[in-house]
Amino acid sequence: MTNISKAMVTPSADKASGGNKKRLFFMFLPVLVAVLLLFVPVPNGLPPYAWHFFAIFVGVIVGLIFEPLPGAVIGLTGIVVIALFGQWLLFSPAELADPNFKIATQSFKWAVSGFGNSTVWLIFGAFMFAAGYDKTQFGRRLALILVKYLGRRSLTLGYAIAFADLLLAPFTPSNTARSGGTIYPIIANLPPLYGSKPNDPSARKIGSYLMWVAITAACITSSMFLSALAPNLLALALVKSIVGINISWGTWFIAFLPLGLLLLLTMPLLAYWLYPPEVKINDEVPRWASRELEKLGKLSRNEILLLLFVCAALVMWIFAASWIEPAMAAMLVVTLMLWTGVLDWNDITSNKPAWNTFVWFATLVALADGLSRTGFISWLGQEGGVLMSGISPGVATIVLLLAFYLLHYLFASSTAHTTALLPAILTIGATIPGMNMQVFCLLLVTSLGIMGIITPYGTGPSPIYYGSGYLPTKDYWRLGTIFGGLFLVALIVIGYPWMSMLF
């Protein structure tokens, strides 16, 4: 009996030991990368403290890519290390030579500067909107209504899923929360009604088609709205910090509108052709949705209030940005939700994803600002400008956009991608004579959502749908390459001329 017990325990113990070793390796890797860079000779023209800051910054990015600890912990660690060793990492010799300069005070001010950033608060406010959708079940109601009226045919059901995501996207800054909290739980109930099962040949009856439409729609809507993807808001702060361009909610929306509508209107049909469901018609799905809607009953008081509040926020974001800061508009709506009982204070304090994202993005904003503060960004721009010299602005725009888009294969986080690459690409673009920076910035930032389609790990919802059992690995990679390529070509062929005409 003892030998049998040992035989049963040993494999799981070995597996746990292997998992711990792997985690320890990934915890050590960011430190190793940072230390190695610290010993690399400082490039010509760059102050030593700027290079040392960059070394720590790269270590943080490596940590965000492999995530041995939560992203917020990685970012906070980077902030603390830089603030503690600010004499060698953050401040110039001229600042340190000033007798009135208090290094401890200034280090702390820099460390917490990200928490005062308006974009970070806008992200937090938008998470509270999402909490309202979830608590009142208004988001679920919207999705079920679309399924009820469009769910008889597989193709129209695909459109129902896309439109449901479209309705939720402007007020849900996490596409992971939008997909995992509302869209996926609904559509996961649909394939069994058609006899379509996960990890089974019957998956192709309809489950595979629906899951692919859902992840594709999530990526498109994440590019359509500034407030539909958290890294969009981080990108907004980086653009303002690095090149001094303000991009409003309305500007973003109009810039991507023609392309976004075209992609949403054609994507379910394209998926229907390239990844066709075996079942074309089913009468049971609308009946199921009707039963679920009956369970929800009539619109509740809180649902009506939520609808009014989010519409008011949307109006302020689009038309009143010159009178009220978008983040303040979001906080106003959150306050109204609290006073009217749509949310209670416990919903705020217990919302772990919101607080996690708040800390994470605040630290990333400060770290990205530090790259500019130390002069690393300006030096990188000069060096990149030399490499790109002689290239026309139009060609440079496309080359840099291609690099920014395709390098997403290396990242499992849109946030890490934005933090690591956007400042560098923006800086290089700013050094090219004749470059239309407004258009260039819009092309880069609006690509953040659609690029998530290219891999099973490219954006938050990807693992949800990839792990559903309806999208085999080879199918996901094949479709990701096709749709990712189509999205990129559409951005260059349609989005680029449209934005150039407007700006």
Side-chain angles (χ1 to χ4, degrees), residues 244-262:
I245 293 176
N246 286 307
I247 299 175
S248 68
W249 198 99
T251 298
W252 184 301
F253 177 67
I254 293 170
F256 197 78
L257 180 60
L259 178 58
L261 287 179
L262 177 66

Side-chain angles (χ1 to χ4, degrees), residues 16-202:
S17 176
N20 289 333
K21 289 179 180 178
K22 185 177 180 181
R23 183 170 178 269
L24 287 173
F25 171 75
F26 286 137
M27 289 182 71
F28 178 70
L29 184 60
V31 179
L32 176 63
V33 170
V35 170
L36 288 176
L37 283 174
L38 285 172
F39 286 101
V40 170
V42 178
N44 292 331
L46 188 65
Y49 73 98
W51 177 253
H52 298 155
F53 182 99
F54 175 70
I56 305 300
F57 179 84
V58 172
V60 171
I61 296 302
V62 171
L64 291 176
I65 292 172
F66 293 102
E67 284 201 331
L69 294 170
V73 177
I74 300 293
L76 191 62
T77 302
I79 289 292
V80 170
V81 168
I82 291 170
L84 287 175
F85 299 96
Q87 182 176 350
W88 300 280
L89 299 172
L90 190 60
F91 302 114
S92 67
E95 289 175 307
L96 296 174
D98 185 350
N100 296 320
F101 184 81
K102 296 181 179 179
I103 187 170
T105 302
Q106 295 304 318
S107 295
F108 179 75
K109 284 184 177 180
W110 172 80
V112 299
S113 62
F115 292 93
N117 185 279
S118 62
T119 303
V120 173
W121 282 100
L122 179 58
I123 295 171
F124 182 79
F127 264 93
M128 295 303 108
F129 286 19
Y133 268 89
D134 182 55
K135 184 174 183 178
T136 64
Q137 297 196 68
F138 185 62
R140 176 177 171 81
R141 183 186 296 276
L142 289 176
L144 287 170
I145 289 171
L146 287 171
V147 171
K148 176 182 177 181
Y149 291 105
L150 296 175
R152 183 171 180 268
R153 295 180 180 274
S154 300
L155 179 59
T156 55
L157 184 56
Y159 278 99
I161 292 169
F163 292 153
D165 203 296
L166 178 67
L167 289 171
L168 298 175
F171 312 104
T172 316
S174 167
N175 59 3
T176 307
R178 186 164 72 248
S179 295
T182 300
I183 304 297
Y184 179 75
I186 292 175
I187 65 173
N189 291 288
L190 303 181
L193 301 177
Y194 295 81
S196 184
K197 302 176 183 178
N199 301 307
D200 186 82
S202 64

Side-chain angles (χ1 to χ4, degrees), residues 113-123 226 229-249 252 325-327 360-372 377 415 418-419 422-423 426-427 441 445 448:
S113 62
F115 292 93
N117 185 279
S118 62
T119 303
V120 173
W121 282 100
L122 179 58
I123 295 171
L226 169 61
L229 181 69
N232 289 351
L233 294 148
L234 174 62
L236 187 80
L238 294 176
V239 168
K240 184 176 181 180
S241 171
I242 293 165
V243 296
I245 293 176
N246 286 307
I247 299 175
S248 68
W249 198 99
W252 184 301
E325 174 73 30
W360 185 8
F361 277 74
T363 57
L364 293 180
V365 167
L367 285 166
D369 178 69
L371 286 175
S372 297
I377 291 294
T415 304
T418 304
T419 309
L422 186 60
L426 285 172
T427 305
C441 291
V445 298
L448 288 170

